[in-house]
Structure formats: C-alpha cells, structure tokens
Amino acid sequence: MTKRHAVVSGAGIGGLTAALALHRRGWRVTVCERAPEPPATGAGIGLAPNALRALEAIGVDAAHAAGGAVPAAMGVRRPDGRWLTRAATADMTARYGIPPIAVPRPVLTAALAAALPPEALRYGTAVTGVDGTGGRATVRTAGGPGLTADLVVAADGIHSPLRRAHFPAHPGLRYLGETAWRTIVDAPDLRIPAMSETWGRGERFGITPLADGRYYLYATARVPAGTRSPDPRAELRRRFGSWHDPVPALLDRVARLAPADVLQNDLYDLAAPLPRLHHGRTAWLGDAAHAMAPNLGQGGCQAIEDAVVLAHLLPAGNAGYAEGGRDPVPAALAAYTAARLARTDAVRVRARRAGRLGALRNPFAAAARDLAVRAVPDRLALRGMDDLFNGFRLP
C-alpha cells in the first residue's frame, strides 16, 4: 500500500517535530524550508516539562539528543540583584517529575533533522500556496514542480503566508510594544548556575545557562516598532551595563561578538485566535497558528505539543480508509483543532499579560509589582505553573 504523504512548510522546531512524529507514524514526509541551509547560529530555547513529555511521546530524548543543560534554579530578580521569586530545580523535578532543560535552537533542530530520512529535507524551497480541499492537496513551491499531499502542515512561522492566504479576514499580528535582543555567549569561567530574568522599568534581561559553559542571553525594551541602533552590542551595554552581576561580565562577552551575532526582533503576537487550526487538508501549528509573546518560554514548547498531538490524531501512514471509503484525515484535523485551540490561545493570552507586568515603566507601578511578586511564597508561585507544565495530554 502506498504511504500517505505529508508536506511540511517550515523546518523550525515545530515543523521538524511534526515531520519526525509523522515519519514515525509511517508517513512519507517532505519538509520544505525557504532558507538555503540549516541555521548555524541562533538563540537558545528552554524546554519545559510539558515539551519534554511531548518529545518523549515520539521517542525523542531531548537532553541526550541536543545536550541540554539543567539550571540549578529559576527566578526573577531586580536590577540590584535581589530575587523577587526563585524556584529550585529540585523542587520543580519533585513536582513535575522532570526538570526543564535549555538547548541552543540550532542544535535541537539539527538533532530533529538528523532523525529524518535525508531525502525528506528540501532547503531553499519556499511553499507559495496550497490548492485543493478535496481528495488531495497540491503544494506549490517557488521554482519547482507542485507536490501532491494527503496533508499539509503549515509551520511557516509568525508571518505565515499560508495563514494569511487561508484566513484573509483575520486581523493578523499585533505589536506588543517591545523589541528583543538575543544571542549566545561563551563564558565557562562565570559558572552561573541559575536561569533568571531581571525586571527593570520597561526593560528586562534574561540569562539561561546552556551546556559547555555557554549562555543564552535575551533582553527587551519598550520602544516603537522598528527602532534600531547602529551597534546592538553598545545599545545593550548602555541599557543594562549597570545592572547586577553577572550582567556586566556577560555584556563584556557580547562586546566580543560580531554585530550580526546579536539578533534583534520586535515582539508580536496574534491579535486574536484563529477560527480553527485547520482548513481543508492543511493544519497550522506553532507561531503560524498561535504566535505568542516569549514571556512564559512556551512558544516553542506549544509548537512541540501541537506537532505531537497532530501526528497522534492522524491515521498511520499505511492505514486504509474508514468504512464506506471515507478518508480519516479531515476528521483528524477537526479533532486537532478541538484538542489544541483552547489551550494554545489561553497560553497566548497569559503570555501577553505576563509581558505587560514585566515591562511596566511607571516607577510606582513597577515597585508595586515587585512587592506583589515578593509577597507570593515560592511554592505558590511554582504551583501557578501547573497548568503549563502538567498541561500536555494526548487526546
């Protein structure tokens, strides 16, 4: 029997996870990525317990595959270094059964790609459109022949052309009022054990330990959309150079990087939920489906959940049709929307609200925020993450 064929648009974490999950369900997969080659540089990603459980469901040990680092603790600080809240990783492990890890994004995507057949990956191949909602879909690509597919997975990112094409009445993206800088530095001598985010007034600075003495750094500031400085390294030092240790020492390492190694992106999320996460034979996942602010560290985690749930609901790649000759794929996509739409939109809304709290500029409002966060016992703050970290379920 001929295997069902899935075309995945986008070779990011969500797209590659979907491709691997479908491959292990017996599907033939083709991943089309507009970039000419896999990324060699980039930022980091934290994999929370919910994402790690989802990856385990498809047989992926992320810590082994991508060399993840386990921080000793996680928490929020003030610019003077005082902790507002902090949770030991041991307590998180006791509560959730698995500790969070942090990995460089290029390492994780490379590990996922390596588990796929080499012929499944097509770099330099942009998907330009999808035709047909009946028996099969035709996927149009730039400069190449169309691909016939039983399923199309739209994992084409926050600016998803497929989302715009199939949901033209949707309001699209909304600027969140902040820009973000991201980079990775090598600083084994600093030996920073904790993952932290420091809240100032309208500015934040995050530190995430990676493996082998590297650190994923990110920073945000409230500025008009499109604001750029000639040298992002100098801009980061200007804004954060007087903050608590080890921020100045880390900025010294940032200064040694090439300017292009410091990524800057304005922050957007989806202005409203999509009416559904599928249309015809196309399913949306990750940023294409529910772009969210990075404030909870759940963007990539929810994309992984999407991918695993989607593959779980679909028939095996060599399964026959249902009684009466009905193709089970359309019903599976409707079930995917039912399983994922409410959860992902709740996380999107929560991430937006968390960003507003962290980005307060008024000194009185920021002081009140800090007092309120400090007043919550650490164990209760950790309990507040239960719906995120324990929220992954296979339908």
Side-chain angles (χ1 to χ4, degrees), residues 207-284:
I207 304 169
T208 300
L210 302 174
D212 303 324
R214 292 186 295 168
Y215 297 90
Y216 165 47
L217 309 179
Y218 63 90
T220 69
R222 291 189 61 84
V223 296
T227 301
R228 297 291 184 271
S229 62
D231 186 344
R233 302 165 303 176
E235 180 69 8
L236 290 171
R237 185 178 292 280
R238 182 184 72 82
R239 289 181 177 274
F240 304 102
S242 63
W243 286 25
H244 64 80
D245 290 334
V247 174
L250 288 166
L251 292 176
D252 287 342
R253 309 305 166 93
V254 173
R256 303 173 191 173
L257 300 174
D261 289 335
V262 180
L263 308 177
Q264 183 179 357
N265 301 97
D266 293 340
L267 298 182
Y268 292 84
D269 72 357
L270 216 59
L274 291 178
R276 58 191 179 280
L277 301 183
H278 72 286
H279 177 81
R281 290 184 169 269
T282 302
W284 280 261

Side-chain angles (χ1 to χ4, degrees), residues 21-89:
L22 289 166
H23 169 64
R24 292 183 172 173
R25 291 276 288 155
W27 286 64
R28 180 169 66 90
V29 295
T30 302
V31 182
C32 297
E33 167 56 47
R34 69 173 61 246
E37 58 189 11
T41 60
I45 181 173
L47 296 177
N50 55 303
L52 294 172
R53 286 200 185 92
L55 289 169
E56 285 179 352
I58 60 169
V60 175
D61 181 342
H64 176 76
V70 179
M74 300 173 62
V76 178
R77 309 177 77 172
R78 301 192 318 186
D80 62 7
R82 187 168 185 175
W83 289 93
L84 299 176
T85 183
R86 177 167 47 176
T89 300

Side-chain angles (χ1 to χ4, degrees), residues 115-350:
L116 290 168
E119 65 273 13
L121 298 164
R122 298 189 183 184
Y123 289 94
T125 304
V127 170
T128 58
V130 177
D131 299 323
T133 57
R136 301 192 83 190
T138 299
V139 180
R140 290 179 276 112
T141 61
L147 301 169
T148 302
D150 301 279
L151 169 72
V152 180
V153 179
D156 50 348
I158 188 170
H159 299 289
S160 172
L162 294 179
R163 183 185 66 227
R164 293 197 302 268
H166 290 280
F167 297 101
H170 188 272
L173 300 174
R174 171 180 174 177
Y175 180 53
L176 295 170
E178 292 181 279
T179 195
W181 298 268
R182 296 172 295 148
T183 194
I184 293 176
V185 297
D186 191 19
D189 55 304
L190 296 183
R191 298 179 182 175
I192 304 165
M195 179 188 301
S196 66
E197 183 171 288
T198 303
W199 291 355
R201 298 203 302 266
E203 296 174 330
R204 290 174 288 168
F205 194 96
I207 304 169
T208 300
L210 302 174
D212 303 324
R214 292 186 295 168
Y215 297 90
Y216 165 47
L217 309 179
Y218 63 90
T220 69
R222 291 189 61 84
V223 296
T227 301
R228 297 291 184 271
S229 62
D231 186 344
R233 302 165 303 176
E235 180 69 8
L236 290 171
R237 185 178 292 280
R238 182 184 72 82
R239 289 181 177 274
F240 304 102
S242 63
W243 286 25
H244 64 80
D245 290 334
V247 174
L250 288 166
L251 292 176
D252 287 342
R253 309 305 166 93
V254 173
R256 303 173 191 173
L257 300 174
D261 289 335
V262 180
L263 308 177
Q264 183 179 357
N265 301 97
D266 293 340
L267 298 182
Y268 292 84
D269 72 357
L270 216 59
L274 291 178
R276 58 191 179 280
L277 301 183
H278 72 286
H279 177 81
R281 290 184 169 269
T282 302
W284 280 261
L285 61 75
D287 283 345
H290 43 69
M292 61 184 65
N295 305 302
L296 300 176
Q298 280 288 313
C301 295
Q302 291 301 309
I304 290 169
E305 284 193 19
D306 289 342
V308 173
V309 169
L310 175 63
H312 172 76
L313 289 169
L314 286 160
N318 58 359
Y321 281 18
E323 184 179 348
R326 294 188 304 275
D327 185 352
V329 171
L333 296 188
Y336 167 68
T337 286
R340 296 299 300 160
L341 184 57
R343 172 163 169 80
T344 55
D345 194 57
V347 178
R348 179 188 66 86
V349 172
R350 182 172 173 180

Side-chain angles (χ1 to χ4, degrees), residues 85 96 350 373 376-386:
T85 183
Y96 302 114
R350 182 172 173 180
V373 172
V376 178
D378 290 343
R379 67 182 184 279
L380 293 182
L382 182 58
R383 187 182 302 172
M385 305 302 287
D386 284 0

